[in-house]
Amino acid sequence: MYNFTGKSFLKLLDFTPEEINLLLDLSEDLKEKKKKGIPHRLCEGKNIALIFEKASTRTRCAFEVAAWDLGMHPVYIEPSTSQMGKKESIADTARVLGRMFDGIEYRGFSQSVVEEIARYAKVPVWNGLTDEFHPTQVLADLLTVKEHFGTLSGKKLVYMGDARFNMGNSLMVGCAKTGMKFTAAAPKKYFPNKALVAECEKCAAETGGEISFTEDPLEAVKGADVICTDVWVSMGEPNSVWEERIRELAPYRVTSELMSAAGDDCHFMHCLPAFHDLNTEIGKKIGERFGIDCMEVTDEVFESERSMVFDEAENRMHTIKAVMAATLSEKNL
């Protein structure tokens, strides 16, 4: 039996493989209840704060719907409605919110901020995204892979593109913790931090997983079960980096040819939003500037039957619900 009560969910490195699998099991159970219309108000009457320094569609909606399903009242806080870090320190804000709310979600820039909130709030704190880690997203990714293949152990996930930030880091950790094979394909300058790689390699050695890196996209996808990618420029980065990223990462674009090289059973995942066409304001501007019609993935792959991106997006709600239920409930798993 495991007791998650009162714990924060800041990064997957903080949890054992057994604990991660228990959260996935709970996610499956709550998803089934949701689909069958079975009430699961496990956190009746609790209040949670949702701090968003970075805007989001999926993270905000997932937390709010999950909170309501669990019987909670969510309060959304954006930079214009908070003095955190401006007139009031992070520590002081955390201590105030911790006395008013039963749990706090933070989505922003530095991992050190969410860690500081957790240190002072004295209530569970959940990482909705930082520059370094995106644990709720990767928990949803793992659930999606498990649902499709029936297992995680031994499955090969290939990450294409810039693997230095939250998605590359967190997918590498998630694979290491669950016995999966993780490969990052990118120029060497886009490989993850060496210290984090070493930590993941140690974990993978215990779970039967594998960690590898290559600059050859075709070599990377051999035997792949899943190919993942993400936008080439993250929130908060300057527009000036677009030219360099497009030039250096274009060979790692996920195309039909790359999917075919991986094999017929390989599927595609993306945490969204995705620049697979020019039907967005940013996509249109970049397309006109550089003469391209997509970036990290082609529209053909994104819209294909191999794409699991919307299963993945829905699973954000179910896994976030599991994390909140586990850390706020007084029941053992």
Side-chain angles (χ1 to χ4, degrees):
M1 300 291 285
Y2 289 82
N3 190 339
F4 291 85
T5 306
K7 291 185 178 181
S8 290
F9 189 75
L10 307 180
K11 57 186 184 296
L12 289 180
L13 282 170
D14 298 333
F15 294 84
T16 67
E18 293 76 16
E19 289 172 329
I20 291 171
N21 283 315
L22 281 170
L23 289 172
L24 292 173
D25 290 343
L26 180 58
S27 301
E28 290 179 303
D29 178 63
L30 295 176
K31 182 174 182 177
E32 183 179 11
K33 286 181 168 63
K34 174 80 171 179
K35 297 294 184 182
K36 292 181 177 179
I38 301 173
H40 43 283
R41 299 174 70 85
L42 304 176
C43 303
E44 189 75 56
K46 293 186 182 295
N47 298 287
I48 62 170
L50 307 178
I51 304 173
F52 277 72
E53 292 188 333
K54 284 186 177 181
S56 170
T57 299
R58 278 152 301 284
T59 302
R60 178 178 178 178
C61 292
F63 267 100
E64 289 197 359
V65 174
W68 285 110
D69 284 352
L70 291 171
M72 297 193 289
H73 176 233
V75 174
Y76 180 76
I77 303 171
E78 60 180 349
S80 64
T81 60
S82 170
Q83 296 297 340
M84 187 177 77
K86 293 176 286 189
K87 291 184 177 180
E88 186 171 52
S89 70
I90 294 167
D92 289 355
T93 302
R95 283 180 284 192
V96 169
L97 296 181
R99 290 177 177 235
M100 296 183 180
F101 294 93
D102 300 288
I104 301 169
E105 178 272 352
Y106 171 82
R107 178 183 172 93
F109 295 92
S110 175
Q111 180 73 15
S112 64
V113 174
V114 75
E115 300 274 356
E116 186 172 3
I117 293 172
R119 187 161 60 251
Y120 286 98
K122 307 303 181 185
V123 297
V125 174
W126 312 296
N127 181 358
L129 174 143
T130 63
D131 290 342
E132 293 92 338
F133 294 107
H134 199 356
T136 59
Q137 175 65 54
V138 171
L139 201 62
D141 296 346
L142 294 175
L143 178 61
T144 305
V145 174
K146 184 181 178 184
E147 286 177 334
H148 185 82
F149 293 102
T151 185
L152 294 173
S153 180
K155 294 302 174 184
K156 180 178 178 179
L157 183 148
V158 178
Y159 183 83
M160 286 286 173
D162 192 344
R164 300 170 299 173
F165 298 123
N166 48 43
M167 283 308 299
N169 289 343
S170 294
L171 282 168
M172 180 172 62
V173 173
C175 288
K177 288 283 186 177
T178 56
M180 294 178 66
K181 301 173 183 179
F182 174 85
T183 297
K188 286 184 179 179
K189 64 184 285 186
Y190 294 101
F191 288 175
N193 175 274
K194 290 183 179 180
L196 180 61
V197 171
E199 196 166 355
C200 288
E201 287 175 336
K202 181 179 179 181
C203 182
E206 298 173 354
T207 64
E210 296 177 11
I211 306 295
S212 63
F213 305 92
T214 180
E215 294 185 273
D216 185 342
L218 287 176
E219 180 67 26
V221 301
K222 289 181 180 178
D225 296 292
V226 179
I227 296 176
C228 295
T229 190
D230 193 9
V231 293
W232 289 341
V233 177
S234 300
M235 283 181 286
E237 291 191 279
N239 288 331
S240 59
V241 304
W242 273 111
E243 183 175 359
E244 178 185 64
R245 297 288 170 79
I246 289 172
R247 181 180 67 252
E248 296 181 345
L249 296 179
Y252 302 90
R253 176 180 291 126
V254 182
T255 64
S256 293
E257 291 74 22
L258 202 64
M259 296 296 295
S260 296
D264 294 340
D265 293 331
C266 183
H267 283 68
F268 173 73
M269 293 174 63
H270 192 305
C271 62
L272 301 180
F275 291 119
H276 58 98
D277 56 26
L278 303 180
N279 295 331
T280 63
E281 181 180 331
I282 295 176
K284 184 178 180 180
K285 288 181 179 179
I286 297 299
E288 292 174 349
R289 180 181 172 188
F290 296 102
I292 56 178
D293 60 7
C294 65
M295 281 175 262
E296 71 276 5
V297 58
T298 64
D299 193 57
E300 184 178 17
V301 170
F302 186 88
E303 297 291 355
S304 71
E305 292 185 357
R306 294 190 183 205
S307 176
M308 300 194 294
V309 296
F310 296 109
D311 294 333
E312 187 183 358
E314 178 194 336
N315 280 339
R316 291 296 306 284
M317 175 180 64
H318 304 301
T319 50
I320 283 171
K321 187 185 296 183
V323 168
M324 292 195 296
T327 54
L328 290 177
S329 172
E330 296 181 359
K331 296 180 179 179
N332 293 332
L333 294 183

